[in-house]
Amino acid sequence: MLKPDQIPAHIGARRQSMPINNLTDKGKSLKHPAAKAPKIFADTGTIEEIHPLREAGIINGVTTNPTLMKRAGATSWQMAKEMMQEIVTLMAPYPVSLELTELQAEKMISQAEELAAYGDNVVIKVPVGGYGAVDSTLDRHTGLKVLHALWRRDIQTNATLIFNSTQALFAAQAGASYVSPFLGRLADYMYKHDRVEMPAGNALYYLEDHKGGKENSRTDNTPYVATSGARMDAGVRLIHEIAVIFANYDVTTEVLAASFRNGVQIPECLLCGADILTIPAPLLMGVADHPLTDEGMRSFVEDSKAFAS
Ligand code: E4P
């Protein structure tokens, strides 16, 4: 398996041509020190989850989907639209992905135009495929056709439900601004179908050893230390494959790693060349925590009592 120092140099070189992610406010002379840091999005439909993350400067974008909107309390399309509009306004100028619910190309394009009118930061999320699976009369290329039509209309898109690099390449080819490989769902699948003796498993084995049959004592696969770029996760390996292919051909469609299951996947995806991570809000809430930070804070606070009087 590749280690971080074996990552092709052109993945790094591609980053140089990518956009500035953290903007400096107008009139401020203290420039943002991490202008080209990866974009970190919150994967949520709940405005209350977005507020604290935005205040902490942790996120510079949001992704939603119908499941997240339903979980956030939307009980009608009208209600979902109002909630999405609120998120778009709160997050401007940072991107917010809003997923289409229509399934026929023309209706999808009209729906996309309606949602895109909420703000310049709207990105339209289009499932890359699966249309034939939900309705056998639908065109299997519906997603790609819509991505292409929206590119021609200057509307930014996020091709979602990506599970292999071929889907990612053809979404980019159709004009997608972002592709979203679902690494967690792939890792879930691999966990379910993988065999104990397979040497290249996935990180879920080490963090959530449900079956009890896998080694779970490797500290370099815990969220508490560096991962060493071990790529023990099938989803992470997919991100790497897409990043290499895009870098090989100078594709500027951004690789948006989605469907996170644990903290190990965060640095692993970055080591592999992901441009953006969209992470569930509860996982983002814990990014400043570490058992040694807790211990250090306790002793600093205790010792600072010496200066109390
Ligand atoms: C991405 O944009 C999706 O909203 C999301 O990451 C899906 O994640 P899940 O597999 O946890 O549903």
Side-chain angles (χ1 to χ4, degrees), residues 228-239:
S228 73
R231 286 183 183 71
M232 297 297 288
D233 185 299
V236 167
R237 291 196 293 274
L238 170 62
I239 303 292

Side-chain angles (χ1 to χ4, degrees), residues 41-44 62-68 71 97 99 125 158-161 163 180-186 188 256-261 278-280:
F41 294 174
D43 196 27
T44 179
V62 168
T63 51
T64 66
N65 66 37
T67 307
L68 292 169
R71 204 178 290 157
S97 285
E99 188 156 338
K125 216 167 167 188
N158 173 354
T160 191
L161 284 172
F163 288 95
S180 290
F182 275 31
L183 77 149
R185 291 194 194 186
L186 192 62
D188 293 344
L256 200 176
S259 172
F260 279 79
R261 294 290 179 266
T278 186
I279 304 175

Side-chain angles (χ1 to χ4, degrees), residues 94-112:
Y94 293 112
V96 178
S97 285
L98 308 177
E99 188 156 338
L100 299 179
T101 53
E102 292 289 354
L103 294 171
Q104 279 162 345
E106 276 173 27
K107 288 185 181 167
M108 289 170 77
I109 293 166
S110 313
Q111 193 179 40

